[in-house]
Amino acid sequence: MKTAAKIFFLFLMASATSFAQGSPEIQQSISLIKQNFTQSQKSIKKYSWIETTTTYLNGEQKSVSQNQCYYDVTGTLVKVATGATTPTTTPRGIRGRIAENKKEDIEAYVEKAKTQIKAYIPPQADKLQEIYASGGVGIKVLEPGSKYELDFPNYLKTGDMLAIVANTSNKILMNYNINTYMDTPQDAVTLDVAFQTLPDGTSYSGNVTFTAPSQNLKIVTVNSGYKLGSGQ
């Protein structure tokens, strides 16, 4: 009985793998993802918006920064600080010096993390196609006929995972999640991105949450107030 159950389970797994690699669902989802990212990267440059970033350490809010963002004529992203930026405050004396050192360590860690994570945002269509062509993409059916999660293992590092949820009926991307690490797998970090869509169909990262459990660190970025033009 146990042997029969095991064989049936292996049959199901084999069927799922076949479905993942060659199904119309995954081909349709891959095409939607590539087209959306490619087009949105171009059209977002017509807009300006407000980026608000809140940093939490040990569950406590430490700072808030806000920037007006836009692309200049050369296609370079420009960020200008607004008056809503709140600097981190530290106590005086020895406790203050310890806190200041800790702040510097965290800031250095954050900058290093941003450099690594930047390579994942936005996902590159060519890289996604490469993983798909190699047969490495997995698919999960979240809503039959419409909503699928595509998993791209080893996207940039061995052992990392990039997952994208696409709605093929509405032809929109809903969110994506990155599980990766800093220098070693023990220093795991995650990035959760929830997409929003502008009236012209342009997708953008509405809410972005970066989490580093080893540092008890969370950074939440909200992009809002999109307008055509630089806003200047």
Side-chain angles (χ1 to χ4, degrees):
M1 192 69 177
K2 290 182 178 180
T3 301
K6 183 176 181 181
I7 292 174
F8 181 67
F9 174 76
L10 292 174
F11 171 77
L12 288 178
M13 291 297 291
S15 299
T17 301
S18 176
F19 173 78
Q21 302 306 327
S23 70
E25 290 84 358
I26 196 170
Q27 294 175 11
Q28 185 180 8
S29 298
I30 286 285
S31 178
L32 169 61
I33 289 169
K34 290 167 55 182
Q35 181 179 355
N36 190 291
F37 280 133
T38 300
Q39 184 58 43
S40 292
Q41 281 181 267
K42 295 178 181 178
S43 56
I44 199 66
K45 294 182 179 181
K46 300 182 297 183
Y47 289 88
S48 65
W49 67 96
I50 297 297
E51 174 195 77
T52 304
T53 301
T54 307
T55 301
Y56 300 88
L57 185 63
N58 297 317
E60 180 181 350
Q61 180 177 310
K62 289 297 181 180
S63 66
V64 178
S65 63
Q66 190 176 86
N67 296 304
Q68 180 183 9
C69 305
Y70 63 92
Y71 286 87
D72 65 16
V73 293
T74 68
T76 301
L77 178 61
V78 177
K79 296 185 180 185
V80 180
T82 72
T85 297
T86 304
T88 303
T89 59
T90 56
R92 297 179 179 180
I94 296 177
R95 290 183 59 227
R97 288 195 294 273
I98 294 174
E100 189 64 31
N101 290 336
K102 179 65 175 177
K103 175 186 173 184
E104 291 176 358
D105 291 342
I106 289 296
E107 288 177 345
Y109 183 92
V110 170
E111 289 306 311
K112 184 176 181 181
K114 285 180 178 178
T115 299
Q116 294 202 30
I117 292 296
K118 188 176 181 181
Y120 291 87
I121 303 177
Q124 300 302 308
D126 291 346
K127 184 64 175 178
L128 300 180
Q129 177 62 34
E130 178 184 332
I131 298 174
Y132 170 61
S134 71
V137 178
I139 185 171
K140 298 174 185 175
V141 181
L142 304 182
E143 289 183 9
S146 62
K147 191 184 299 184
Y148 303 94
E149 177 186 306
L150 274 66
D151 297 330
F152 298 84
N154 306 313
Y155 177 78
L156 285 183
K157 296 182 179 182
T158 301
D160 72 1
M161 175 68 77
L162 186 151
I164 304 174
V165 175
N167 189 321
T168 56
S169 60
N170 294 336
K171 298 188 182 302
I172 62 172
L173 303 184
M174 302 185 69
N175 57 69
Y176 72 90
N177 171 269
I178 298 164
N179 286 277
T180 186
Y181 52 90
M182 298 294 285
D183 295 329
T184 67
Q186 287 69 37
D187 192 4
V189 296
T190 63
L191 193 71
D192 296 294
V193 180
F195 288 112
Q196 301 291 333
T197 305
L198 294 168
D200 65 357
T202 300
S203 293
Y204 67 93
S205 304
N207 293 274
V208 181
T209 302
F210 169 77
T211 307
S214 67
Q215 304 294 320
N216 294 314
L217 176 69
K218 181 169 75 171
I219 302 172
V220 179
T221 300
V222 178
N223 296 302
S224 61
Y226 280 74
K227 298 178 181 179
L228 287 171
S230 66
Q232 292 184 312

